[in-house]
Amino acid sequence: MGEMEAMYRELGISSQVLAYGDKIEKELKSRFDEIDKTAEYNQLKVLHAMQKNKVSEACLYPSTGYGYNDMGRDTLESVYADTFHTESALVRPLLACGTHALAVALAGNLRPGDELLSPVGKPYDTLEEVIGIRPSKGSLAEYGVTYRQVELLEDGTFDYDGIRAAINENTKLVEIQRSKGYLTRPTFSVEQIGELISFIKGIKSDVICMVDNCYGEFVERLEPSDVGADLVVGSLIKNPGGGLAPIGGYIAGKEEYVENAAYRLTCPGLGKEVGASLGVNSAFYQGFFLSPSVTAGALKGAIFAANIYERLGFAVTPDSKEERHDIIQAVTFGTPEGVIEFCKGIQAAAPVDSYVEPEPWAMPGYDSDVIMAAGAFVSGSSIELSADGPIKPPYTVYFQGGLTWYHAKLGILMSLQKLVDKKLVTLPE
Ligand SMILES: *Cc1c(COP(=O)(O)O)cnc(C)c1O
């Protein structure tokens, strides 16, 4: 037995499972090479923005109190703006999560009587209460902002006629969610998003086009802000935090719209001027610097899993060959046991809490039990290897992340090992 095989064996991976995984990995070489090229390009993009803005050692120091003249914070915001090719950016630990960043961008730019349009069907679950699709205290609906939604066509493409019909004199802001999140529709490419934005601007040129960029950053060479988005918004405990940001969100885009968001985040008049970064600057910089290669590792993991499970007869979305526009992978097992064993494998491969066994439980806000696997350095971070699945038909597990490709590989092999051990899967000879 070679030393690699012996090492995997020590971690609980049989030679048979390893050999199966290695065979598939070999077949993915050219795709992995392509991902590495994208990471190389994006690494240079981030590095260039850091050099251009003269990031210095002093930028890494903490600030306290009001945070006036927080040079590290302000420079980091310029680095984000230059990376996303926008006029301005807001990158803050005060943005508690992705939903908060999206809510701040929306509330900062919408006024009573304005209408918000989602041309891509239902937005991410947590936005339902922000918008007021599900009534909630302080929702945009309570402030007199109306909402309209145009469903995607059967084949997952944009309903251009429906979108044209939905845009009216009150339409102020269009929210385009890039990633499918936990829906079954496809994730949109940056190119598709660009086409949609051109179409919308052709009908109403002053409408604000905002993209929920969660899980999409650095998956491609271009970002939605390169193809016409006025605002891009995301979470730092996903791709752009590179696994190091302990909290935070970003809003990048046109100066005026970012300022509107900043006025909402802090208060009118103070905007971006206040908000001490405390001690997070250093992690924000370093995480952003690592993000292109971290995202590449997660992407390889997603493709590896799609290829492993598709060949074993399970439905996977995206499929084994499809081009990727985010880091999420769905695998449909068709049985509760499949979902549970998969999640146990992901948990067992974690650097933190590897010894605990995840179990399905009745999570608030869900209509079925849900099982979650995560052994993360940053609580709830989903750029770290993580998986979750509702225990209901069609018994699909969603997984994402992996700070390194090697860890993602181990996680997926471990999930396969659990399924093989429970005889839910038989490997081909
Ligand atoms: C994660 C995510 C959000 C919200 O992020 P939280 O950080 O969980 O609040 C919004 N939209 C999409 C597409 C996401 O993936």
Side-chain angles (χ1 to χ4, degrees), residues 49-56 58-60 69-82 89 91-92 272 281 285 288:
M50 289 186 171
Q51 293 179 349
K52 183 179 163 212
N53 287 287
K54 297 197 162 58
V55 173
S56 63
C59 291
L60 309 177
N69 306 313
D70 184 330
M71 172 189 151
R73 176 198 68 200
D74 294 347
T75 304
L76 178 70
E77 291 182 337
S78 300
V79 168
Y80 263 71
D82 280 331
V91 186
R92 304 284 168 126
K272 290 175 82 176
N281 275 346
Y285 278 105
F288 198 52

Side-chain angles (χ1 to χ4, degrees), residues 97-100 102 124 126 177 179 181 212 214-215 235 238:
C97 61
T99 305
H100 185 212
L102 289 159
Y124 200 69
T126 54
Q177 184 181 310
S179 169
D212 173 351
C214 283
Y215 287 132
S235 162
K238 294 181 181 171

Side-chain angles (χ1 to χ4, degrees), residues 62 168 237 295 365-366 372 414:
N168 60 64
I237 63 169
T295 301
Y366 289 81
M372 295 195 163
M414 196 69 93

Side-chain angles (χ1 to χ4, degrees), residues 28 31-32 34-35 38 178-180 186-192 215-222 239 295-296 298-310 315-331 399-401 412:
L28 294 172
R31 281 192 86 183
F32 281 16
E34 218 176 288
I35 290 170
T38 301
R178 177 173 175 180
S179 169
K180 65 180 171 302
T187 287
F188 307 120
S189 67
V190 170
E191 190 184 351
Q192 281 177 297
Y215 287 132
E217 298 91 351
F218 298 132
V219 171
E220 299 183 42
R221 295 184 189 200
L222 293 181
N239 310 16
T295 301
L299 210 48
K300 289 176 187 175
I303 292 170
F304 184 59
N307 279 272
I308 285 204
Y309 285 105
E310 189 179 78
V316 296
T317 327
D319 72 27
S320 62
K321 303 249 157 32
E322 255 174 86
E323 251 198 271
R324 301 285 161 147
H325 310 295
D326 69 9
I327 63 167
I328 299 179
Q329 182 64 47
V331 183
F399 99 98
Q400 65 273 313
I412 294 149

Side-chain angles (χ1 to χ4, degrees), residues 12-18 20-21 308-309 312 314 333 337-338 341-342 345 412-429:
I13 304 295
S14 69
S15 303
Q16 196 199 11
V17 165
L18 178 62
Y20 184 71
I308 285 204
Y309 285 105
L312 293 170
F314 299 103
F333 286 104
E337 295 75 26
E341 292 307 314
F342 181 94
I412 294 149
L413 292 180
M414 196 69 93
S415 73
L416 180 57
Q417 185 73 56
K418 299 273 181 197
L419 286 152
V420 168
D421 290 347
K422 281 272 152 73
K423 304 208 166 21
L424 295 165
V425 160
T426 318
L427 295 181
E429 281 311 312

